[in-house]
Amino acid sequence: MSLIYVLNGPNLNLLGKRQPHIYGHETLADVEASCRTLASELGHELRFHQSNREYEIIDWIHEARENGVGIVINPAAFTHTSLAILDALNTFEGPVIEIHISNVHKRESFRHHSFVSHRADGVIAGLGTEGYQLGIRRVATMLKTQKTTDAKWSTGSN
């Protein structure tokens, strides 16, 4: 089984308690449980982390370079501020999907810019916590497509 990392930024530990009118009533533990179930159904393992500290997210991205095949990341407020997370993601060779529970484009203007989007292979915003499952599905699809393409090249069937 290949390992997909799901990384969460600051304040997501308060999911379900903080601004439920924006982020919903589901907790991060609920999101993790549904992500684990889906990843298993798709034949993948999951590492699910949350931190309010930028350096821990960077460390997990570095860990993913060695152990992971894809990253689904909700960088939260670090989306708009962290060149360091962008730099770390730029060292990762697998698919990266950026997700946001709320539609950041309907919110304050400072939320409209994402450093992470410069590296992300896709961005999911405004679909609630379902965005996590969609991100995992997209990583799995990208990995399957990559394996098929790699197999064609290695067998010379192109």
Side-chain angles (χ1 to χ4, degrees):
M1 282 199 196
S2 51
L3 188 59
I4 297 172
Y5 280 68
V6 178
L7 305 177
N8 296 278
N11 299 310
L12 286 164
N13 55 305
L14 299 176
L15 196 58
K17 301 172 194 163
R18 174 183 166 239
Q19 298 174 294
H21 62 286
I22 295 175
Y23 301 109
H25 295 280
E26 221 176 352
T27 67
L28 197 59
D30 296 333
V31 173
E32 180 177 0
S34 64
C35 287
R36 286 193 183 285
T37 299
L38 176 61
S40 179
E41 290 170 4
L42 296 172
H44 296 281
E45 291 183 68
L46 200 69
R47 290 256 168 91
F48 195 97
H49 297 294
Q50 184 278 327
S51 183
N52 297 319
R53 297 170 212 59
E54 183 180 39
Y55 77 90
E56 286 185 324
I57 294 168
I58 293 165
D59 286 346
W60 291 323
I61 294 167
H62 292 179
E63 181 183 304
R65 288 183 69 225
E66 302 299 321
N67 303 315
V69 295
I71 295 174
V72 174
I73 184 169
N74 182 345
F78 291 142
T79 302
H80 324 292
T81 63
S82 184
L83 289 170
I85 289 175
L86 170 61
D87 287 347
L89 288 169
N90 280 333
T91 71
F92 183 76
E93 294 183 11
V96 174
I97 303 297
E98 175 185 356
I99 60 167
H100 300 284
I101 296 168
S102 69
N103 182 349
V104 294
H105 302 290
K106 288 182 78 175
R107 298 185 64 196
E108 304 93 339
S109 62
F110 69 85
R111 296 185 193 275
H112 298 178
H113 178 264
S114 169
F115 285 107
V116 173
S117 291
H118 292 277
R119 167 55 182 92
D121 297 297
V123 179
I124 299 168
L127 299 180
T129 57
E130 185 181 355
Y132 285 87
Q133 288 79 31
L134 295 169
I136 291 168
R137 285 188 187 283
R138 183 61 186 148
V139 166
T141 299
M142 292 174 78
L143 293 169
K144 191 181 295 184
T145 302
Q146 181 182 15
K147 282 183 184 176
T148 303
T149 302
D150 291 348
K152 284 181 182 177
W153 284 106
S154 66
T155 61
S157 59
N158 251 357

